[in-house]
């Protein structure tokens, strides 16, 4: 019953982007909707997803794979507040979010997905603010690469892009976003292959039993 009341409070239009005041107003409504002991954090995380769309929803979904629902919900709330709760008059808060995250591990698909959603959010917001050019600064892109990508991805990036620098070309924020998108898909494919291998081994064990 409590969860049904929360679902009935969903906004007519999901939040995708906007100023910090609009975000905080939305989250106040959300907190009122799910403020019931009968609603656990796993259900709150699912409900939170239905209040957002676009890169924000992707960001929330990236935490759904975490085994601890309490931690997943808390981290999703924290990440949303970092991105949308800060002042939206410049791209600096978005860049800080990108630089503050931990480096993704090679097989950590949720971490890859989170980084990609953060890049998309930064790109969309900076474009809306007319500050897209600030994201293309070489030092920002280089620092994001070093801090957020796993070793093999960094090595792959350097192999493809060092030649551009030798010839006087500089990669852009859009190049970085596209690269992380590909890396995220490769990571997902690896996980699916591992799951298929485990399933095959289990099936063979059952046949031999």
């Amino acid at each position: 019953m409590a969860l049904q009341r929360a679902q009935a409070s969903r906004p007519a239009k999901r939040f995708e982007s906007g100023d910090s005041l609009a975000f905080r107003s939305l989250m106040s409504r959300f907190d009122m909707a799910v403020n019931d002991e009968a609603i656990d954090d796993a259900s709150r995380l699912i409900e939170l997803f239905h209040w957002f769309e676009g890169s924000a929803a992707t960001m929330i979904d990236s935490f759904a794979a975490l085994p601890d629902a309490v931690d997943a919900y808390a981290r999703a709330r924290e990440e949303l507040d970092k991105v949308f709760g800060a002042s939206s008059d410049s791209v600096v808060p978005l860049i800080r979010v990108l630089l503050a995250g931990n480096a993704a591990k090679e097989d950590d698909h949720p971490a890859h997905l989170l980084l990609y959603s953060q890049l998309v959010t930064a790109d969309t917001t900076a474009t809306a603010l007319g500050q897209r050019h600030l994201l293309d600064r070489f030092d920002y892109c280089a620092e994001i690469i070093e801090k957020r990508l796993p070793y093999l991805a960094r090595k792959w990036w350097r192999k493809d892009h060092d030649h551009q620098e030798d010839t006087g070309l500089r990669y852009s924020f859009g190049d970085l976003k596209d690269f992380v998108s590909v890396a995220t898909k490769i990571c997902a494919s690896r996980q699916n292959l591992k799951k298929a291998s485990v399933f095959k081994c289990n099936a063979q064990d059952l046949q031999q039993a």
Side-chain angles (χ1 to χ4, degrees):
M1 183 67 71
L3 187 57
Q4 290 177 341
R5 286 197 298 269
Q7 292 170 347
S9 301
R10 291 175 184 174
K13 179 175 174 55
R14 293 184 178 190
F15 184 94
E16 181 175 12
S17 62
D19 60 33
S20 58
L21 291 178
F23 168 75
R24 294 192 183 284
S25 175
L26 181 85
M27 292 311 299
S28 294
R29 289 171 53 199
F30 175 81
D31 287 335
M32 291 178 62
V34 299
N35 185 24
D36 193 302
E37 292 182 356
I39 305 177
D40 58 22
D41 282 345
S43 299
R44 287 190 175 105
L45 183 63
I46 294 172
E47 186 59 26
L48 184 65
F49 174 83
H50 289 287
W51 286 57
F52 290 84
E53 64 181 354
S55 59
T58 302
M59 183 188 299
I60 296 167
D61 192 44
S62 70
F63 290 102
L66 296 178
D68 186 339
V70 176
D71 180 53
Y73 175 66
R75 288 178 61 183
R77 289 291 301 260
E78 180 182 3
E79 198 65 36
L80 285 170
D81 193 59
K82 284 180 182 178
V83 175
F84 299 104
S87 173
S88 59
D89 59 357
S90 76
V91 300
V92 173
L94 298 171
I95 294 170
R96 287 175 179 165
V97 168
L98 287 167
L99 295 177
N102 296 323
K105 296 181 179 179
E106 305 292 346
D107 59 349
D108 190 345
H109 181 249
H112 280 77
L113 190 61
L114 174 60
L115 173 57
Y116 178 66
S117 68
Q118 289 173 335
L119 292 170
V120 172
T121 298
D123 193 8
T124 304
T125 304
T127 300
L129 293 171
Q131 299 181 2
R132 178 63 175 74
H133 61 286
L134 295 179
L135 295 180
D136 287 328
R137 282 179 50 182
F138 172 76
D139 51 346
Y140 286 153
C141 290
E143 197 168 355
I144 292 169
I145 292 165
E146 291 301 319
K147 286 192 173 183
R148 300 298 302 276
L149 293 178
Y151 171 75
L152 290 179
R154 293 199 305 268
K155 186 176 179 181
W156 179 20
W157 172 272
R158 293 191 191 106
K159 181 179 179 181
D160 286 347
H161 294 80
D162 282 356
H163 176 67
Q164 290 189 31
E165 293 181 33
D166 292 339
T167 57
L169 297 175
R170 288 285 176 88
Y171 48 78
S172 68
F173 189 84
D175 294 330
L176 174 59
K177 185 181 69 174
D178 293 342
F179 177 83
V180 173
S181 174
V182 173
T184 302
K185 291 175 182 176
I186 290 174
C187 184
S189 297
R190 286 175 179 166
Q191 285 196 340
N192 289 334
L193 285 173
K194 286 182 179 179
K195 290 178 182 178
S197 178
V198 170
F199 178 79
K200 183 178 180 181
C201 290
N202 290 340
Q204 289 174 345
D205 291 341
L206 288 173
Q207 291 175 353
Q208 293 172 0

